[in-house]
Amino acid sequence: MSLSAADWENQRAFLAVLEHGSLSAAARELAVAQATVRRRLEALERGLGQALFTRSPSGLTPTEAARALGPHARAMAAAAAAFARTASADAGAIAGSVRITASEMVGAHVLPAILAELLERHPGLRFETHLSNRTQDLLHQEADIAVRMVRPVQSALVVKHVGAVKLGLFAAPAYLERAGAPRDLADLARFAIVGPDRDVDFLRALATLGEGVVPGALAYRTDSHFAQLEAIRAGAGIGVCQLALAARTPVLTRILPDLFALPLETFVAMHEDLRQVRRVRATFDHLVARLQTYCALT
């Protein structure tokens, strides 16, 4: 095996293909020509002395060697991105890049206004937001700050509890005009329910609504919380939504408020080593203050 520091671009190409499953998708991710991705991947395979992918009807399938190398390539990519963020501005300046990871709903519907306010105050800041319901590892520098609905348990983190995002059952007024409203939780079995597809934790939570609310009975299934919200707004059925988001236009109607209310405890976390980096600390403090206000709504 013969590899050098110059192989990082080849390894980036490998990681992009591994993540996206095709040369064309990897090329779009890296903003290079497809032929460039192929050339870099072939160069890496020559250096390693083994194939990393096999062709299949669904695209490029990683070999056992590729799957084994994947975590190391991801770690290198995270470290490179963290290096670039650290070098983006002086540690004592409130300027430069800050990477934030948050759930899909919080990242799409809550953070934009909060971060826009901070950008107005500090125009030298640059934000990268990664929207995922997967818990990213702050210790491995995948992000500078995380907004999470479960308390991070790793050591060496600064964690602030900002309150609980309140969830309820909601439906569009048009759906209720058409289908009526349930009398109690057991009555939900008569109605179209919008819910998860394969999200085990969410499915387990829905099961508490009654025997009739089971995966097979769901009228509209998707693991995307954003898509669930849009389905509820479109009148596809009754589903779970954050109270503060349901109050936004178009306004949704809350269902059985006395029988179903779920608090989603919310935390903001960063690595303790970043406390002295002013751009990260300023962003962290701003997120804590504004998310505390958000959690107090409704």
Side-chain angles (χ1 to χ4, degrees), residues 28 35 56 64 66 89 109 121-122 134 143 148 150 155 160 199 213 237 241 251 260 269 286:
R28 289 192 294 271
S56 70
E64 184 177 344
H109 289 283
R121 191 182 310 164
H122 301 290
R134 179 181 71 88
R148 286 288 170 249
V150 58
S155 59
K160 290 288 186 180
D199 186 328
V213 186
C241 179
V251 177
F260 181 85
H286 183 73

Side-chain angles (χ1 to χ4, degrees), residues 99-107 111 129-138 142-154 157-165 242 264-270 284 287 291 295:
R99 184 170 178 82
I100 303 165
T101 179
S103 69
E104 187 180 45
M105 293 301 290
V106 169
L111 291 190
T129 57
H130 179 81
L131 308 190
S132 171
N133 296 320
R134 179 181 71 88
T135 300
Q136 284 195 310
D137 193 348
L138 296 174
E142 292 184 58
D144 299 314
I145 298 173
V147 180
R148 286 288 170 249
M149 273 55 189
V150 58
R151 179 185 285 276
V153 296
Q154 301 103 320
L157 295 182
V158 178
V159 180
K160 290 288 186 180
H161 177 242
V162 295
V165 172
Q242 296 181 21
L264 204 56
E265 301 299 333
T266 305
F267 305 86
V268 182
M270 68 175 175
F284 180 88
L287 285 172
L291 286 172
C295 288

Side-chain angles (χ1 to χ4, degrees), residues 53-298:
F53 297 92
T54 58
R55 293 192 177 277
S56 70
S58 59
L60 294 178
T61 301
T63 63
E64 184 177 344
R67 287 191 290 270
L69 289 169
H72 303 292
R74 292 185 185 97
M76 291 177 64
F83 182 91
R85 292 196 301 274
T86 301
S88 64
D90 186 279
I94 304 181
S97 296
V98 179
R99 184 170 178 82
I100 303 165
T101 179
S103 69
E104 187 180 45
M105 293 301 290
V106 169
H109 289 283
V110 183
L111 291 190
I114 292 175
L115 296 178
E117 180 184 6
L118 192 57
L119 278 174
E120 183 177 359
R121 191 182 310 164
H122 301 290
L125 283 171
R126 298 291 181 267
F127 295 121
E128 304 169 12
T129 57
H130 179 81
L131 308 190
S132 171
N133 296 320
R134 179 181 71 88
T135 300
Q136 284 195 310
D137 193 348
L138 296 174
L139 300 183
H140 290 91
Q141 301 176 306
E142 292 184 58
D144 299 314
I145 298 173
V147 180
R148 286 288 170 249
M149 273 55 189
V150 58
R151 179 185 285 276
V153 296
Q154 301 103 320
S155 59
L157 295 182
V158 178
V159 180
K160 290 288 186 180
H161 177 242
V162 295
V165 172
K166 301 172 184 66
L167 304 180
L169 289 173
F170 288 89
Y175 175 78
L176 296 176
E177 290 176 9
R178 183 172 73 250
R183 299 182 299 271
D184 52 35
L185 292 178
D187 196 32
L188 282 171
R190 298 191 301 110
F191 293 82
I193 303 297
V194 175
D197 181 24
R198 299 181 181 180
D199 186 328
V200 176
D201 292 335
F202 200 171
L203 286 169
R204 190 177 296 119
L206 278 185
T208 65
L209 295 178
E211 294 183 2
V213 186
V214 294
L218 300 182
Y220 195 109
R221 299 176 61 170
T222 172
D223 284 336
S224 167
H225 296 174
F226 181 81
Q228 287 178 28
L229 174 59
E230 294 308 308
I232 297 168
R233 284 176 170 163
I238 298 171
V240 177
C241 179
Q242 296 181 21
L243 269 60
L245 295 184
R248 297 182 181 179
T249 304
V251 177
L252 298 175
T253 301
R254 192 171 183 185
I255 307 298
L256 305 174
D258 297 329
L259 298 178
F260 181 85
L262 182 65
L264 204 56
E265 301 299 333
T266 305
F267 305 86
V268 182
M270 68 175 175
H271 196 286
E272 63 181 11
D273 289 348
L274 296 176
R275 283 183 295 185
Q276 304 308 316
V277 179
R278 289 193 68 199
R279 65 178 177 277
V280 178
R281 187 55 191 252
T283 303
F284 180 88
D285 291 342
H286 183 73
L287 285 172
V288 167
R290 293 298 179 265
L291 286 172
Q292 285 174 335
T293 299
Y294 180 78
C295 288
L297 294 175
T298 66

Side-chain angles (χ1 to χ4, degrees), residues 28-43:
R28 289 192 294 271
E29 170 72 18
L30 299 173
V32 298
Q34 184 171 325
T36 300
V37 176
R38 180 185 294 106
R39 185 171 62 253
R40 290 175 179 174
L41 185 59
E42 290 172 348

